[in-house]
Amino acid sequence: TKKAVQIENLSVYYGQTPAIAGVCLDVDDGGYLGIIGPNGGGKSTLLKAILGLVPKASGTIQIYGQAFRGNKGLVGYVPQFSGLNRSFPITTREVVLMGKLKPGLTPLHKFTGADQEGTEELLERVGIYHLASRQIAALSGGEFQKMLIARALAVNPRCLLLDEPTASVDASSRDQIYDLLAELNTQMTIILVTHDLRAISSQVRTLACLNGHLVYHGEPELSERLV
Ligand code: ADP
Ligand code: ADP
């Protein structure tokens, strides 16, 4: 099977201590990997390493067979903390449009009409087309997460990384987000960091458990023994 992500012997350091050490992990193209593990186990760090956002790492990461060179475009990212100030006066549509910013472009970049149209499509795809003109301050937790997913899709990724996307959403939005992820998985590889056991058992095809190193990688059915 073709691999979306291949990680060999990855260690990531913040200062002297490794946050993760010697991790080997691969993800099939079209796969759906769930990542679980205790707080501080290195789950977010692993996602950030795949995105090239960690300062000090050793080992190799290949994305669709290419050595990692900040493979933006191949990989979309829904961070745990978006860095977006909820009181900032910006609309849902504008946040999603920013997802189209390429490295090196500033927010003063003039977007084309095609960029704008693409944004409407993305909003529709995640089910928040009707919220396009709403200020982000007025979005619910679930709507905000869907907006972040739409923003991540703006690069047209082959692989989508999500860090606890259901952490602060109500139960019905959570179900909608998991339905959306299942649908997106028919088009792209998904790597999901979660504490939500339901997501693990019902959707995820493989499971990784991290606690500084890889504790487990395999069938999701075994997850109940791990957490
Ligand atoms: P998880 O996502 O599993 O909770 P993290 O990847 O966030 O784990 O963190 C792994 C370890 O790295 C923890 O010990 C955490 O304190 C440390 N860490 C994470 N980010 C930083 C950072 N920016 N600076 C220093 N230490 C960090
Ligand atoms: P933390 O979880 O440590 O608070 P985030 O995960 O929100 O931080 O973001 C970490 C870094 O990733 C930030 O510098 C942010 O600008 C950057 N970032 C956010 N989204 C993307 C993306 N789609 N592609 C590349 N980098 C991103």
Side-chain angles (χ1 to χ4, degrees), residues 50-52 61 63 65-72:
I50 294 171
L51 288 155
I61 300 177
I63 315 270
Q66 300 176 19
F68 178 81
R69 285 185 298 271
N71 307 41
K72 294 217 174 69

Side-chain angles (χ1 to χ4, degrees), residues 48 51 53 72 77 79-83 151:
K48 287 177 188 171
L51 288 155
L53 297 175
K72 294 217 174 69
Y77 178 41
Q80 182 173 12
F81 304 104
S82 68
R151 183 182 70 170

Side-chain angles (χ1 to χ4, degrees), residues 75-141:
V75 184
Y77 178 41
V78 179
Q80 182 173 12
F81 304 104
S82 68
L84 275 174
N85 184 334
R86 289 291 288 261
S87 61
F88 193 73
I90 187 171
T91 64
T92 308
R93 176 192 282 115
E94 287 163 339
V95 170
V96 175
L97 187 59
M98 298 279 228
K100 291 187 178 280
L101 277 177
K102 308 248 172 0
L105 297 181
T106 73
L108 296 176
H109 173 70
K110 278 242 182 281
F111 289 103
T112 65
D115 287 332
Q116 307 273 3
E117 277 169 36
T119 301
E120 310 277 295
E121 268 173 44
L122 291 169
L123 288 164
E124 192 162 1
R125 205 161 156 200
V126 303
I128 55 167
Y129 184 77
H130 59 296
L131 302 173
S133 304
R134 189 169 290 187
Q135 294 290 316
I136 62 168
L139 297 177
S140 72

Side-chain angles (χ1 to χ4, degrees), residues 11-216:
S11 299
V12 178
Y13 297 84
Y14 298 107
Q16 300 299 316
T17 1
I20 51 179
V23 168
C24 299
L25 181 68
D26 56 48
V27 188
D28 288 344
D29 186 25
Y32 191 152
L33 173 72
I35 303 179
I36 58 170
N39 281 333
K43 304 181 295 297
S44 296
T45 297
L46 181 71
L47 295 190
K48 287 177 188 171
I50 294 171
L51 288 155
L53 297 175
V54 290
K56 212 169 131 202
S58 62
T60 60
I61 300 177
Q62 290 201 321
I63 315 270
Y64 290 99
Q66 300 176 19
F68 178 81
R69 285 185 298 271
N71 307 41
K72 294 217 174 69
L74 289 175
V75 184
Y77 178 41
V78 179
Q80 182 173 12
F81 304 104
S82 68
L84 275 174
N85 184 334
R86 289 291 288 261
S87 61
F88 193 73
I90 187 171
T91 64
T92 308
R93 176 192 282 115
E94 287 163 339
V95 170
V96 175
L97 187 59
M98 298 279 228
K100 291 187 178 280
L101 277 177
K102 308 248 172 0
L105 297 181
T106 73
L108 296 176
H109 173 70
K110 278 242 182 281
F111 289 103
T112 65
D115 287 332
Q116 307 273 3
E117 277 169 36
T119 301
E120 310 277 295
E121 268 173 44
L122 291 169
L123 288 164
E124 192 162 1
R125 205 161 156 200
V126 303
I128 55 167
Y129 184 77
H130 59 296
L131 302 173
S133 304
R134 189 169 290 187
Q135 294 290 316
I136 62 168
L139 297 177
S140 72
E143 291 162 349
F144 191 84
Q145 285 301 322
K146 289 177 199 167
M147 174 186 72
L148 294 184
I149 294 171
R151 183 182 70 170
L153 294 175
V155 297
N156 202 16
R158 291 177 70 183
C159 180
L160 183 63
L161 313 184
L162 305 103
D163 201 342
E164 301 272 10
T166 57
S168 58
V169 308
D170 61 67
S172 83
S173 299
R174 190 186 58 204
D175 291 346
Q176 289 169 9
I177 287 170
Y178 286 128
D179 287 349
L180 174 62
L181 294 185
E183 192 199 311
L184 292 174
N185 185 226
T186 66
Q187 297 143 22
M188 65 191 75
T189 307
I190 293 193
I191 302 180
L192 170 71
V193 167
T194 186
H195 280 111
D196 192 344
L197 287 179
R198 237 173 33 103
I200 291 164
S201 49
S202 66
Q203 292 202 326
V204 158
R205 296 196 214 154
T206 54
L207 184 76
C209 181
L210 275 179
N211 190 3
H213 57 282
L214 194 63
V215 177
Y216 176 80

